[in-house]
Every structure is written in C-alpha cells, then in structure tokens.
Amino acid sequence: MKLRPLISACTLLAISVCTPLAAKTIDTERAKIELETVAEGLKNPWGLAFLPDGAMLVTERVGDMRKVSADGKVGEPITGLPEIFSRGQGGLLDIALDPDYENNGWIYFSYSEPGDGGNSTALARAKLDGNALVDLQRIFSQQPKVNSNNHFGSRIVFKDDGTLFLTLGDRYSHKDDAQTLDNHLGKVIRINTDGSIPADNPFVNTEGALPEIWSYGHRNMQGAAVHPETGELWSGEHGAQGGDELNIDRAGLNYGWPVITYGENYGGGKIGEGFKKDGMETPVYYWLPSLATAGLTFYTGDVFPDWQGDVFVASLRAETLARLDVEGERVLHEERLLADELGERLRHVVQGPDGYLYLLTDASDGKIIRITPAD
Amino acid sequence: MKLRPLISACTLLAISVCTPLAAKTIDTERAKIELETVAEGLKNPWGLAFLPDGAMLVTERVGDMRKVSADGKVGEPITGLPEIFSRGQGGLLDIALDPDYENNGWIYFSYSEPGDGGNSTALARAKLDGNALVDLQRIFSQQPKVNSNNHFGSRIVFKDDGTLFLTLGDRYSHKDDAQTLDNHLGKVIRINTDGSIPADNPFVNTEGALPEIWSYGHRNMQGAAVHPETGELWSGEHGAQGGDELNIDRAGLNYGWPVITYGENYGGGKIGEGFKKDGMETPVYYWLPSLATAGLTFYTGDVFPDWQGDVFVASLRAETLARLDVEGERVLHEERLLADELGERLRHVVQGPDGYLYLLTDASDGKIIRITPAD
C-alpha cells in the first residue's frame, strides 16, 4: 500500500519528460516542425539505412548493427560482422543499401579494421539472413594502417553509375599524407560495388598513385551525399579548430589539407600557408567557429516543400542541424535548427522514404529522432 | 566645500564609462582588435567621407553636415544645404567626395527632398568654402515624389569610369513600382557626375524607360560599394521581415522585389511568388532573420591583412558588424562582430585612408568609432 504514491509520481515524471519532445511545435524559417523519438537506447549510433519494409538498420560505433522496426523496436545485435577496432572515433561506422537492394540484397558498411601496423577504415558488404550477416565480402581496406584512434571518415555514397564513393580521414597523426597519392589517408575513393576499380578513375594511369583515389587533400569527412540534380559528390569535412568545410569533390582535385585551411591549430597558431593556393580547391562554404560537422544530406521530399534542394548538416559540437539554402554551387543562407529545442550532439541526418528527416543523436543512450511537419 | 566629493564622483564615472571601449582587446576570428571613440554627440549620423587632411565630413539625418577634425572635434553645422525633408527615415543621408576631389573640390550628398506630391531622394553636389557649401547643383531628383517617410536608399558610389551610382528605395508604399521602368522607385541609377546620362546605360534606347536606370526590382539599399577588383557594384538591401540581400547589381537586370523575396510580410504571410523566377536575379547571399543591413564596404587595407577582400556590413537591428568572407561571387562564411562588445545600431562602415574601419552608430547621441588592431 505504501508504494502506490511513489509509482504515481514516477508515472507523472515520465510523461512530463517525454511529452514536450513529441508535442511541441517548432517554428522554423521555412517550416513548422515537430520532433518525435523513434527509438532510444542506441550506443552512439553512426549510420542509418532504411529497409524496403520501413524498418531501419542502424550501426552503433561500439561495434554492433541492429534492426529497428518501423515502430521503433530495437533488435538484438546482428551477427556475422567482421572484427572491428572500437576505440576513440573508430568502430562500426556508416551503412548503406545497394541501389538495387531489392534484387541483390547487398548491405555495405564501413568500419575501423585492426591489422598489421594499427588500424584503418575498411568497407565490406554482406547480405542479411534473419538476424545474421552472410556472404561477407571486404571490398576495400584503407592503406596504410596506422596507430591512431581518430579521423576514420567515413560515409558511403552511391554514384548513379554503379560505383560508390567512400570518404577517408587523414588519421589525424598523418595529415601530410593527405597531399600524396601513394596512400588512402585524407582521400575520397571511388570503386565499383564489388571492390574493383573503375577504368575512368582520375589517377588510374598516374604512376605511383593508388587507382581508387577520386580526390585528395581532405581531413575528416563524416558527411557526404550526391547532389540530386548534378550527381556530384558534396562532402562535409571537420576542420581543425574551425574551418569545417563543405566541398564539391571532383575527380582528381586537391582540397588543400593541410596546406590551405581556414582552421587553426588547437590552442592557436596558423596551419599551413593560408586560405588559398593555386591548384587547390577552396570550399563552397565553411564554418568558423567549427560546428564539428557530421552527416549531410540533400532534402528532396514533398513533406517540407520549402526545404527542397536544401543541404542539412548534422553538428556534433554545436548540437544543431544546419540547413543551407543552396543555389547552384552557392550557399545563400544558413539556418541553425534544434540547438535550443533538442540540444544533442547529432551524428547523422537522413531523409526517410516517407520524406521525413531522421536524426541520430551521438550519446551512449543515443536516439533516432524524426522531424515531421507540425500541421 | 560641500561640492567637492560630488565632483570627484562625476569624474570617476566619466573615466569608468570611456575606458573600457578604448582599452579592451577583442579577439575575432581573423584579427585582434580594439575600439576607439573618435567623436560623439552626432545626431543619427548617416554618411562619412574623409577629406585629404584626415578630417571627416559627416551627415546627420536630422539635416546637418559637420566637419569632424582628425582628432575628433565636431564642428558647427555647415551652411548652404538645400531644403531637406527630415522625418522618419528621411533626412540628410550619404556623402562622398569626387574621386578627383583634390582638383575639383566637388562633394556629393544625397537627401530627402520635399516637393510637389510629397518627397523623394535627391542628389546634389557643392564645394566647401570655409564652413559653407557653395556652387550647389542638384544633379538628380527621384521621380515621382510620394507621401512616405520610408525607404529613401541611398548610397553614392563612384564607378571607375567617371560615372556614379545612387541606390534608391521603393518608398515602402509603392513597392510595385520597383518592377516598372517608368519611375525611379526601387532602382539603382547611374549618371555622370554632372547629372547627365551615360550613353551606355542599359535602358537609354528602351521606350518608356527612364534612362538613368541601371538595375531595378530593389527594395531599400542602404549599403553599396564597388568591388575592388571587378569594379562591379555590390549592394546590401533591407528585406521585408527577413530576407536582407547582398546583390551584385548588373546593368539592366531585375532583382525581383516584390515578386521574389526571402522575406515575409510583417506579422507573417508570404510576399510575392516565392524565392526565384526566370528573368529575376537571386542574391549572392541573404540574411533571415534580418539584420537590417545598412552601410557596406570592401576591406582593402594593410592594417588587417586577413580581412583583405572581405565585405563588411553594418547592421541596425542586430547591432552587429557582419564580416563576409567572399571568394569570387560566393560568400563562404559570415562572422558577426561587436554585438556583445559594442551593442549599438550601426548605420555605416567605411575604411579610412589609414586602413582602419570607421563605424557610425545610429543614435541621437551617435558616435564615430574606429576599429584598430590590438597589437
């Protein structure tokens, strides 16, 4: 009999905590929106892919992949993953379905792979059989492996020609390697979905260059997406203490890290030679101070008509979702969403098949949050 | 004897008010700066021009022009001004010296001119003789005159070919006139310095069009400057409740107001047809929510090397100085300066001959403030 009042108090508490997120209308510049928690209890979720039935595959950086049902039920860890180096920024990272998934069943995922000399980012594909991955194939492994817990990249983006891009970080301790073509550090690579190398890659005929390389001079790109009209790859790159960049990554071009950057060394002091240099690309846009940019997507849905064509960028440090009004290759305006209403580190933003935006919060009790229209 | 403690207290107060502004180092993204009050007691200063001896000519919206010596002494009102309509946003507005001032002595100034049907923006030139303007010539008068206290423009900018631009507002109550060429509302005009019309203006051969018109579809541009390398006119435009714009104003082009805009009606509700339309230019950049953009300049000095090529925009409502990192025709990044450290409505920003930036605060006790390097 004594317990009853205590239980009632807890029930009330639970309601007061959960209701505001579900019910509050947020009036943004171009849309009235609401937030809804789809799932929670995920350990630093990093990547998200929608299955044809509306369920989601989610990666947790700690090294687990889980299916989350359309109504938010979080499944047990999927078995059959390769060995993963889960430390620092490393772990199980991005996930994407083959554009022809309904016919071939391939699921691609990136991860930190341990091995001789340290670790590096790898890309594998496998098929899902019940709650197990089968037919596992490692289709790419970043060279060289180094002893570092940082700057793994890595987003998987399909081009419209049967190839895919993978963004690869400079591993932090090896930033000068981003400028040379004999390694995969600080690069975007382009490969066929079976891991073979496209004949029209920019450096296939360059002596001493690794043929997977698409673009170079990068630092750590945790966001990337293909422009819905031009088909070009746009990526978001963590800068050093400021100088996060939005780039259009074009075949064979040098994006300047660590020679040119808008960032500074932690604690102060210039890096490199300034802001621009012949033969190196400057960004479409940059953030100083840094947002710590992570996942990135173009919005193409019908649910938020005034967001069509906009770029959304998840931010870790600034705990915001940046909306960029883009025209051609220009960013005309930036709006920062949800810093006040949500206030969570955001690892990723994905457009669902329903036209809603889905966010992953970067926390040990991480969530999938859906943005829906308020009306 | 009784008075002595009171006087001491007042002296101490004066020191404590003035010292922080002069001494505090402000650490911005690209420069460590200090602020210094050059002059005060100006009534809503609007325009600022440097004389060859380092003194300044300053306009006060209330209708006075004053010389301020290089060491900050504010002179008596200069005599010889024409009749000025000083109400609302109207009054004595911009001021500029002829590029060949040392030889010809011409001083140009814009102002709200009363007349049949109401008032409009006019441009005059005169020479300074002691503390009097002489040889006054009105070289342009905006048509038609209307009954409105708002949206006069007006910045005077010299092109490098012996012509000048004047920006002209839509007078608020006549916004649809910005779309037709039979009037000067919501236009940039280009004239010769004697008021005659350049033969290569875009509409000189267009029937029914006023031949002074350079570009149209504008709302209220209180900032304008010529790009130091391209020679093109860049202007800052007040939008309606958001949607302040930065434009490159090109010959004969339509900048869309009030058909396309990023702004909304005050109190909510869309204006016009959306964000873009064939045959209308979209801005290089825009601010939503609005800063209320006023004066604008390109920094070209040596004192702040990492600011070279940047656009500075004075903001009234947001009480900030926006620094835009510009590359070509793209704005890569915006920094907002001084909102915390100064917190004043800013009407104008001008680069002095000494390479420092000078600000005008929009207040009945308005100031000229100089930004100097802290080191």
Side-chain angles (χ1 to χ4, degrees):
Chain A
M1 291 295 278
K2 262 188 172 171
L3 278 176
R4 191 171 282 241
L6 190 61
I7 289 168
S8 298
C10 292
T11 308
L12 278 170
L13 181 68
I15 289 167
S16 73
V17 168
C18 299
T19 306
L21 193 58
K24 187 179 161 195
T25 292
I26 302 167
D27 197 2
T28 78
E29 291 176 2
R30 297 275 178 82
K32 289 189 204 304
I33 62 173
E34 287 180 359
L35 300 181
E36 194 179 333
T37 299
V38 176
E40 49 198 347
L42 296 160
K43 294 186 215 77
N44 302 95
W46 214 98
L48 176 69
F50 284 87
L51 291 163
D53 65 358
M56 293 154 269
L57 290 176
V58 183
T59 56
E60 296 175 298
R61 198 180 57 210
V62 68
D64 286 326
M65 184 187 295
R66 295 173 193 267
K67 193 191 276 198
V68 177
S69 67
D71 61 357
K73 221 168 300 170
V74 177
E76 290 300 303
I78 292 170
T79 60
L81 283 162
E83 190 185 355
I84 294 173
F85 173 86
S86 298
R87 202 176 305 169
Q89 299 171 0
L92 181 58
L93 303 173
D94 204 19
I95 185 165
L97 302 193
D98 195 288
D100 195 27
Y101 176 82
E102 301 214 40
N103 289 313
N104 66 29
W106 286 118
I107 296 162
Y108 300 76
F109 55 93
S110 61
Y111 58 102
S112 315
E113 180 190 57
D116 286 349
N119 59 72
S120 70
T121 301
L123 179 65
R125 66 177 183 177
K127 298 180 181 183
L128 194 59
D129 182 5
N131 209 46
L133 291 176
V134 298
D135 297 341
L136 179 71
Q137 300 176 351
R138 189 195 70 176
I139 58 174
F140 174 78
S141 178
Q142 182 187 28
Q143 298 303 327
K145 290 198 165 0
V146 299
N147 272 312
S148 166
N149 297 348
N150 296 313
H151 296 197
F152 292 89
S154 57
R155 290 289 170 195
I156 306 161
V157 180
F158 290 93
K159 202 165 150 60
D160 57 2
D161 61 359
T163 66
L164 64 79
F165 295 112
L166 180 67
T167 67
L168 294 166
D170 70 351
R171 310 310 315 287
Y172 184 69
S173 49
H174 285 62
K175 64 179 190 290
D176 291 337
D177 289 344
Q179 282 296 316
T180 58
L181 299 171
D182 57 354
N183 68 79
H184 295 129
L185 309 189
K187 308 294 188 303
V188 173
I189 61 149
R190 174 174 174 248
I191 56 175
N192 296 311
T193 54
D194 63 0
S196 63
I197 293 165
D200 59 349
N201 259 6
F203 297 112
V204 286
N205 296 318
T206 303
E207 205 178 338
L210 296 181
E212 299 91 349
I213 295 173
W214 174 260
S215 62
Y216 65 112
H218 297 287
R219 188 170 179 273
N220 191 25
M221 308 84 89
Q222 290 198 348
V226 160
H227 189 288
E229 287 173 12
T230 67
E232 291 196 295
L233 181 69
W234 291 48
S235 73
E237 181 163 336
H238 285 279
Q241 189 167 324
D244 288 353
E245 298 183 358
L246 180 70
N247 288 306
I248 304 175
D249 296 326
R250 295 191 165 114
L253 297 187
N254 179 354
Y255 289 80
W257 176 256
V259 180
I260 59 169
T261 174
Y262 293 88
E264 293 188 347
N265 277 310
Y266 292 96
K270 277 199 176 173
I271 299 172
E273 302 176 13
F275 309 130
K276 47 165 61 184
K277 186 172 182 171
D278 281 350
M280 297 184 184
E281 308 304 306
T282 49
V284 168
Y285 189 74
Y286 73 94
W287 289 268
L288 189 80
S290 169
L291 297 185
T293 55
L296 174 159
T297 197
F298 286 90
Y299 185 76
T300 60
D302 295 324
V303 174
F304 302 106
D306 283 345
W307 284 357
Q308 281 169 5
D310 294 353
V311 171
F312 286 83
V313 180
S315 152
L316 295 161
R317 196 171 66 83
E319 301 182 347
T320 189
L321 179 68
R323 184 185 66 79
L324 302 178
D325 182 16
V326 174
E327 180 171 278
E329 299 181 1
R330 295 184 300 155
V331 173
L332 297 184
H333 174 66
E334 176 183 356
E335 179 182 13
R336 297 197 182 172
L337 301 163
L338 306 186
D340 294 333
E341 299 86 353
L342 187 59
E344 296 233 41
R345 290 166 58 86
L346 299 179
R347 177 67 69 187
H348 203 21
V349 52
V350 178
Q351 181 180 322
D354 47 19
Y356 301 151
L357 281 180
Y358 288 75
L359 307 175
L360 298 181
T361 67
D362 178 49
S364 54
D365 177 15
K367 298 181 184 68
I368 302 173
I369 289 174
R370 176 161 54 205
I371 303 179
T372 61
D375 295 333
Chain B
M1 292 296 279
K2 262 186 171 172
L3 279 175
R4 189 172 281 245
L6 190 60
I7 291 170
S8 298
C10 292
T11 310
L12 278 169
L13 181 67
I15 290 167
S16 73
V17 168
C18 299
T19 307
L21 193 59
K24 189 180 160 194
T25 293
I26 301 167
D27 197 2
T28 78
E29 290 176 2
R30 297 275 179 83
K32 290 190 204 305
I33 62 173
E34 285 179 2
L35 300 181
E36 193 178 334
T37 299
V38 176
E40 48 198 347
L42 296 161
K43 294 186 215 78
N44 301 97
W46 214 99
L48 176 68
F50 284 88
L51 291 163
D53 65 357
M56 295 155 266
L57 290 175
V58 184
T59 57
E60 296 175 299
R61 198 180 58 211
V62 69
D64 286 326
M65 185 187 296
R66 296 175 193 264
K67 193 190 276 196
V68 177
S69 67
D71 60 356
K73 223 167 299 170
V74 177
E76 290 301 303
I78 292 169
T79 59
L81 284 161
E83 190 186 353
I84 294 173
F85 173 86
S86 297
R87 201 177 304 169
Q89 299 171 0
L92 180 59
L93 303 172
D94 205 19
I95 185 165
L97 302 193
D98 195 287
D100 196 26
Y101 177 81
E102 300 213 40
N103 290 313
N104 65 29
W106 285 119
I107 296 162
Y108 300 76
F109 55 94
S110 62
Y111 58 102
S112 315
E113 180 190 58
D116 286 352
N119 58 72
S120 69
T121 301
L123 179 65
R125 66 176 181 176
K127 298 180 181 182
L128 195 58
D129 181 6
N131 207 47
L133 290 175
V134 297
D135 298 341
L136 180 71
Q137 299 176 352
R138 190 194 70 176
I139 57 174
F140 174 78
S141 177
Q142 181 187 30
Q143 298 304 326
K145 289 200 165 0
V146 299
N147 274 312
S148 167
N149 297 346
N150 295 314
H151 295 195
F152 293 89
S154 54
R155 290 289 170 194
I156 307 160
V157 179
F158 289 92
K159 202 164 148 62
D160 57 2
D161 60 358
T163 67
L164 64 80
F165 296 111
L166 179 67
T167 67
L168 294 166
D170 70 350
R171 311 308 318 285
Y172 184 68
S173 51
H174 285 62
K175 64 178 189 287
D176 292 336
D177 289 344
Q179 283 296 316
T180 57
L181 299 172
D182 57 354
N183 68 79
H184 295 128
L185 309 188
K187 307 293 189 300
V188 173
I189 62 149
R190 173 175 173 248
I191 57 175
N192 296 312
T193 54
D194 62 359
S196 63
I197 292 165
D200 59 348
N201 259 7
F203 298 112
V204 286
N205 297 317
T206 303
E207 205 178 341
L210 296 180
E212 299 91 350
I213 295 173
W214 174 259
S215 62
Y216 64 112
H218 296 287
R219 188 170 180 273
N220 192 25
M221 308 83 91
Q222 290 198 350
V226 159
H227 189 289
E229 286 174 12
T230 68
E232 291 197 295
L233 181 69
W234 291 49
S235 74
E237 182 163 335
H238 285 279
Q241 190 166 327
D244 288 352
E245 297 183 356
L246 179 70
N247 287 305
I248 305 175
D249 296 327
R250 295 193 164 113
L253 297 186
N254 179 352
Y255 289 81
W257 176 255
V259 181
I260 59 169
T261 173
Y262 292 88
E264 293 188 346
N265 278 310
Y266 293 96
K270 275 198 178 175
I271 299 171
E273 303 176 13
F275 310 129
K276 47 163 67 184
K277 188 172 181 172
D278 281 350
M280 298 185 183
E281 307 305 306
T282 49
V284 168
Y285 189 75
Y286 73 96
W287 289 267
L288 190 80
S290 170
L291 296 186
T293 54
L296 174 159
T297 197
F298 287 90
Y299 186 76
T300 59
D302 295 324
V303 174
F304 302 106
D306 283 345
W307 283 357
Q308 282 170 4
D310 294 355
V311 171
F312 286 82
V313 181
S315 152
L316 295 160
R317 196 171 67 81
E319 302 182 345
T320 189
L321 179 68
R323 184 185 66 80
L324 302 179
D325 182 16
V326 173
E327 179 170 280
E329 300 181 0
R330 296 184 299 154
V331 173
L332 297 184
H333 173 68
E334 176 183 357
E335 179 182 11
R336 297 196 182 171
L337 300 163
L338 307 185
D340 294 333
E341 298 86 352
L342 186 60
E344 296 232 42
R345 291 166 57 86
L346 299 179
R347 178 66 70 187
H348 202 21
V349 52
V350 178
Q351 181 181 322
D354 48 17
Y356 302 151
L357 281 179
Y358 288 75
L359 308 174
L360 298 180
T361 68
D362 179 49
S364 55
D365 177 14
K367 298 181 184 70
I368 303 172
I369 288 173
R370 176 162 54 206
I371 302 179
T372 61
D375 295 334

